[in-house]
Amino acid sequence: MTTAPPEPAAPVAEETGVAAAAVEELAVEELAAPVEPQVEVYGIRHHGPGSARSLLAALEAFRPDVVLIEGPADADPLLHFAAAAGTVPPVALLAYAADDPAVSAFWPFAVFSPEWQALRWALAADVEVGMCDLPAAQVLAPPKPDLFDTADEDEPDGGRVDEGAGPGAADEPEPAEGVVAAEPVDPDAPLDPRRWARVDPLRALAEAAGYDDPERWWDDVVESRLDGSSPFPLLTEAMAELRRDPGRPAGRDALREERREAHMRQTIRAAVKRGRRRVAVVCGAWHAPALTWPLPPAVADTRVLRGAPKRKVTLTWVPWTHGHLASTSGYGAGIASPGWYEHLWTAPDAPVVRWLTKVARTLRAHDLVVSSAHVIEAVRLAETLAALRLRPLAGLAEVQEATRAVLCDGDDRAARMVTADLVVGEALGAVDPSVPMVPLEADLVATCRRLRVRREPKARVLDLDLRRRIDQERSQLFHRLRLLGIDWVTPAESGVQSQGTFRETWSATWRPALAVALVRAAVWGTTVESAATARVQDRLAGGSLVELTRTVEHCLLAGLPDALQRLLEVLADRAALDADVVHLMEALPPLARAQRYGDVRGTDTRALRQVAEVLVLRICAGLPQAVGGLDDDSAATLRGLVDQVGSAVGLLAEATEPAEDAPVPAGSGLRERWFAALAAVVDRRDVHGLLVGRTVRLLVDADRIDDAPARVERALSHGVDAAAKAAWVEGFFSDGALLLLHDTQLRDLLDGWVTTLDEREFTDLLPLVRRTFGTFTPAERRALAGRLAARGGEPAAVEPVDLDDELARAALGTVDLILGGSR
């Protein structure tokens, strides 16, 4: 059987080859065609746990190639430190001008800040991450004076949070000086929300939703969301509507906002140009519509950014606190409840139950009785209030009301305590040791670690026993910091009663702004000791005599022997040239105290005592000429200096005068010289009564005169002006309750003088006399009133009168208070 030959296959093969070539060519063309980038903009509110939770879910779903975060663009080299083991939020990026560290700005982050969570997500996922806002070099640059002719010129921010850069008030623009609105805006007026959206966009959206509280609206819509669903598209749409404001602002702040958004858009374009096709942008919700893809042509943004002033700056990470995230601290993007927001972030399951349990624990720590039944009832009340108010979850308002009503039994003081401890809180963050810092701060951190001194945001009282070596070194550190102007640790009152010189009490409270103070002090040296020494030497040129003596005291307590030696040389020369007795009297007490504290520290103070003795001799020689013809204010000032010099002479004499049984030439001791100078004043008629009374009293206390009753009687005799008598009494009897208690003659003289005053004189002199007796303790006043009441003898010729006890009760109560409650 013959089979017909098959049809030729060549045309089929040809056709198949052509089709394959066409498919291949089409694939090459598709690969060569540019792929449209996907840019997702997430408009968040800074420091919001709901925003952070929704943002993480959105990033996981989008899986971007690069994450751009609102923050200073020149901080990119520092971002990897956010993943370091020792970095614990709250922390902040600190930028300061290299030529003037006081010009600085902070960009703070909490653990619940969306920017922080986006940064940590990108670092953990090994995704490119960077900041997209204006560089700190432009934020801290001084503005050009010829840009705007306005009455109020903006100055660079110094030592405070920059409210418009990084995590600041970007999503909630605040009115600022230099911004001129198209029409006056009244936030309380029921106007079109777009007219005042730039002042408070959240309030505009809240009122549109029927809320009277923007914080409550935001909490319901965003922060209380526990499902992680994305609110960002709707927020961007709402902000786009609000930005359609017919009145555009003008001025320097408006230009800065334009530059910020222009720089963000340029950063997005740069990422796309580098080949990134999935770009995630995390910014304040207000800026989101301006960054949505596709972007407008870059020509306008280039023109806005051209010519922007710049400044050389340094950036680093520093610890931050919850207290400085709070709006009450003055932070522009502050929140009312950092502690509550952290709780929402760290305890998403059963947040109300866990929160009220923490409240109960806090109240118990303050010795308030709170049971488990209280907590259960408070949880029920908070959830019931939320249901009645149609809220998805009990918020801060509900838990605070439940806390006050159930756990605090309506006590507002206990509720305020909860607010301070929990709602705001004082958590202090930490930065990893590998973070670059100035050498001075590195030395301080190492020294604090060695001396076991912790930096804490809450005030902590430190009682030091200078007989212990470690406490001596702590004291020296604290005094060195005070010389540098770093007031982290300040002197405080001790609750322990002690007269010894071996005890010091300090109060330590760490604040983030101290990081700037450390940077400013770093110009003096690389260690705390070298910087304090250089700071003392710098004061030698322009310091007055009083300032130098006070510096001597601080220098001795700070343990700076090299600086002290040079300081004493300059002080001796300055004291020899200063002829003002008042200056000499002001300069002596710090030297005496320094010598006293030098003894307990084992410091050689012989050179210091020599300067002090010279000052005493010059004061004694010039005092008689300095006390004549003074008015009331000058006499009061000199009276205080006389007391201080007397105490200082006593301290110096204890160390300089020989033993009592040693032969001493008459008048050779410091005490003798001082009392001789006082004795030359007491009988002069041109000296103010306040000073005469005081010098008589000092000589009586020192057993240098024995005619005190006669002098008191002469000072209170007829013919002396009543005001002069009162001044004399104030000088003599201030702090002199023991004299009146144990010297009957003096007490009778004073009582007789008071009873002889007529109504006008008594009214005029009562404030002066009360000021005198106000220096007595309540116990001394009670004892004195008892002596007067128990005085023997009947009053002379007092006619009996009928008293109305009801009318006299108020007057008698006042007298009882004056006399210290003796009745």
Side-chain angles (χ1 to χ4, degrees):
M1 179 174 69
T2 306
T3 305
E7 296 182 1
V12 176
E14 248 178 52
E15 189 176 328
T16 304
V18 171
V23 170
E24 183 177 354
E25 183 178 353
L26 180 62
V28 171
E29 288 180 358
E30 289 181 351
L31 290 175
V35 178
E36 185 67 18
Q38 298 182 49
V39 179
E40 291 290 337
V41 181
Y42 304 109
I44 50 88
R45 186 189 187 190
H46 307 297
H47 317 307
S51 295
R53 189 173 289 108
S54 300
L55 177 61
L56 285 183
L59 291 175
E60 286 290 343
F62 183 49
R63 304 301 299 183
D65 300 327
V66 60
V67 178
L68 303 178
I69 302 172
E70 183 181 320
D74 41 7
D76 287 356
L78 297 173
L79 296 185
H80 68 280
F81 290 110
T87 301
V88 180
V91 292
L93 282 168
L94 165 63
Y96 57 89
D99 57 340
D100 185 5
V103 180
S104 58
F106 295 93
W107 287 262
F109 302 86
V111 68
F112 49 82
S113 299
E115 300 92 339
W116 179 260
Q117 290 300 324
L119 175 60
R120 293 296 301 267
W121 181 90
L123 293 174
D126 198 21
V127 173
E128 180 186 346
V129 62
M131 297 293 187
C132 61
D133 206 344
L134 280 179
Q138 294 186 25
V139 173
L140 298 182
K144 293 183 178 180
D146 57 343
L147 280 178
F148 298 98
D149 185 17
T150 58
D152 297 325
E153 293 296 333
D154 295 337
E155 296 295 335
D157 295 318
R160 67 174 182 87
V161 177
D162 182 79
E163 297 178 358
D171 57 331
E172 301 175 54
E174 298 184 0
E177 296 180 358
V179 176
V180 181
E183 295 180 9
V185 174
D186 181 6
D188 296 326
L191 302 176
D192 180 359
R194 289 179 300 178
R195 303 295 290 171
W196 40 266
R198 287 181 175 273
V199 177
D200 192 349
L202 292 189
R203 184 171 182 265
L205 295 176
E207 287 214 356
Y211 282 73
D212 58 357
D213 183 2
E215 292 293 330
R216 185 173 151 222
W217 173 81
W218 182 266
D219 193 60
D220 286 352
V221 174
V222 179
E223 302 309 336
S224 296
R225 302 165 68 96
L226 299 179
D227 57 358
S229 59
S230 177
F232 302 115
L234 293 178
L235 284 175
T236 301
E237 182 179 352
M239 290 297 174
E241 180 66 22
L242 291 178
R243 288 174 66 100
R244 292 167 54 191
D245 188 350
R248 303 297 295 176
R252 180 174 290 120
D253 290 306
L255 175 61
R256 186 181 67 170
E257 289 301 306
E258 290 183 16
R259 282 176 172 168
R260 292 182 61 199
E261 293 182 350
H263 193 277
M264 293 181 195
R265 288 190 291 264
Q266 291 287 61
T267 306
I268 296 173
R269 295 186 183 102
V272 172
K273 188 175 181 179
R274 292 196 306 271
R276 304 296 183 261
R277 289 295 175 262
R278 303 174 70 83
V279 182
V281 182
V282 181
C283 64
W286 179 259
H287 300 296
L291 308 181
T292 303
W293 192 267
L295 299 177
V299 177
D301 292 339
T302 304
R303 183 168 55 251
V304 170
L305 293 173
R306 185 182 298 120
K310 295 183 180 180
R311 189 176 202 158
K312 186 177 181 180
V313 299
T314 302
L315 291 97
T316 187
W317 288 101
V318 296
W320 203 252
T321 69
H322 275 176
H324 286 79
L325 284 173
S327 53
T328 54
S329 68
Y331 173 31
I335 53 179
S337 49
W340 168 253
Y341 274 8
E342 183 185 38
H343 175 76
L344 288 181
W345 175 258
T346 57
D349 56 321
V352 176
V353 176
R354 291 174 179 267
W355 176 263
L356 291 173
T357 303
K358 291 169 64 176
V359 171
R361 189 182 304 119
T362 299
L363 293 174
R364 289 171 188 150
H366 289 279
D367 298 328
L368 297 178
V369 178
V370 180
S371 66
S372 300
H374 284 93
V375 176
I376 295 172
E377 188 63 28
V379 171
R380 290 175 177 170
L381 177 57
E383 293 177 344
T384 301
L385 289 174
L388 291 174
R389 295 168 180 173
L390 303 179
R391 304 194 67 179
L393 179 71
L396 181 60
E398 286 73 31
V399 297
Q400 282 188 310
E401 291 176 24
T403 298
R404 182 181 292 103
V406 179
L407 301 182
C408 299
D409 292 327
D411 188 349
D412 288 337
R413 291 175 298 178
R416 286 194 297 269
M417 183 170 55
V418 171
T419 299
D421 289 355
L422 290 181
V423 177
V424 176
E426 277 298 345
L428 176 65
V431 296
D432 194 81
S434 60
V435 173
M437 60 182 70
V438 295
L440 178 64
E441 183 177 6
D443 178 70
L444 176 60
V445 170
T447 304
C448 289
R449 188 182 300 114
R450 179 174 60 84
L451 299 179
R452 299 195 295 276
V453 178
R454 294 191 302 173
R455 296 191 288 187
E456 298 175 316
K458 287 188 176 181
R460 182 186 180 191
V461 176
L462 303 173
D463 280 314
L464 304 184
D465 185 345
L466 301 181
R467 295 170 296 187
R468 301 173 56 206
R469 179 62 183 174
I470 188 171
D471 281 352
Q472 277 194 24
E473 294 185 7
R474 289 171 177 168
S475 174
Q476 290 177 351
L477 172 64
F478 299 159
H479 283 289
R480 289 170 182 174
L481 293 176
R482 293 193 71 198
L483 282 170
L484 293 172
I486 301 172
D487 58 347
W488 164 34
V489 188
T490 56
E493 294 293 332
S494 175
V496 180
Q497 297 295 328
S498 175
Q499 299 297 324
T501 60
F502 57 84
R503 181 177 297 279
E504 281 186 357
T505 303
W506 299 82
S507 177
T509 307
W510 182 263
R511 306 184 310 279
L514 293 173
V516 178
L518 281 170
V519 173
R520 298 180 66 181
V523 300
W524 301 108
T526 57
T527 66
V528 176
E529 181 178 4
S530 64
T533 300
R535 185 71 183 91
V536 170
Q537 294 174 349
D538 182 72
R539 292 184 182 180
L540 298 180
S544 65
L545 179 63
V546 178
E547 292 173 344
L548 291 179
T549 54
R550 291 173 182 168
T551 305
V552 165
E553 183 179 11
H554 293 307
C555 191
L556 180 65
L557 301 179
L560 303 174
D562 296 337
L564 179 62
Q565 183 62 35
R566 173 60 181 156
L567 182 59
L568 289 176
E569 295 174 0
V570 175
L571 181 62
D573 297 338
R574 192 71 54 82
L577 298 175
D578 198 328
D580 192 327
V581 177
V582 174
H583 289 172
L584 299 176
M585 296 176 75
E586 291 176 344
L588 180 63
L591 292 180
R593 291 193 301 267
Q595 181 223 340
R596 184 188 188 204
Y597 280 95
D599 292 340
V600 75
R601 286 172 168 79
T603 306
D604 186 3
T605 58
R606 286 175 295 181
L608 188 151
R609 280 200 297 268
Q610 292 175 1
V611 177
E613 290 177 7
V614 171
L615 289 181
V616 172
L617 296 179
R618 296 190 60 200
I619 290 171
C620 293
L623 182 64
Q625 290 77 29
V627 297
L630 299 178
D631 58 16
D632 292 344
D633 293 337
S634 300
T637 301
L638 198 60
R639 171 261 175 105
L641 291 176
V642 167
D643 287 344
Q644 295 179 30
V645 171
S647 300
V649 169
L651 291 176
L652 293 170
E654 291 176 1
T656 57
E657 292 186 353
E660 294 183 358
D661 56 352
V664 181
S668 62
L670 293 179
R671 280 198 180 100
E672 293 296 333
R673 295 290 186 93
W674 173 241
F675 290 133
L678 295 180
V681 173
V682 294
D683 294 320
R684 288 172 48 180
R685 295 182 177 273
D686 62 335
V687 179
H688 196 281
L690 181 67
L691 288 173
V692 174
R694 197 60 181 174
T695 53
V696 171
R697 165 70 185 285
L698 294 175
L699 292 173
V700 169
D701 290 346
D703 291 330
R704 303 292 169 163
I705 58 177
D706 53 6
D707 58 344
R711 290 180 179 274
V712 174
E713 184 175 7
R714 187 163 58 249
L716 301 179
S717 63
H718 294 287
V720 180
D721 182 70
K725 294 178 183 179
W728 202 99
V729 168
E730 181 182 358
F732 185 84
F733 287 105
S734 291
D735 302 318
L738 293 179
L739 283 174
L740 291 174
L741 286 174
H742 299 292
D743 194 320
T744 305
Q745 188 176 4
L746 289 178
R747 188 169 63 244
D748 291 342
L749 287 171
L750 185 60
D751 184 51
W753 169 65
V754 173
T755 57
T756 58
L757 295 174
D758 59 33
E759 182 177 356
R760 182 185 59 81
E761 290 178 333
F762 183 80
T763 303
D764 293 339
L765 299 181
L766 180 59
L768 298 177
V769 177
R770 288 193 62 182
R771 186 167 62 193
T772 301
F773 286 91
T775 60
F776 301 170
T777 64
E780 291 172 340
R781 292 199 296 269
R782 285 194 296 268
L784 181 58
R787 298 292 175 87
L788 291 174
R791 185 176 57 181
E794 293 292 333
V798 176
E799 296 183 2
V801 293
D802 293 331
L803 297 178
D804 189 331
D805 293 339
E806 186 66 25
L807 292 176
R809 183 172 293 113
L812 291 175
T814 303
V815 173
D816 187 46
L817 290 175
I818 294 174
L819 296 177
S822 61
R823 291 174 58 85

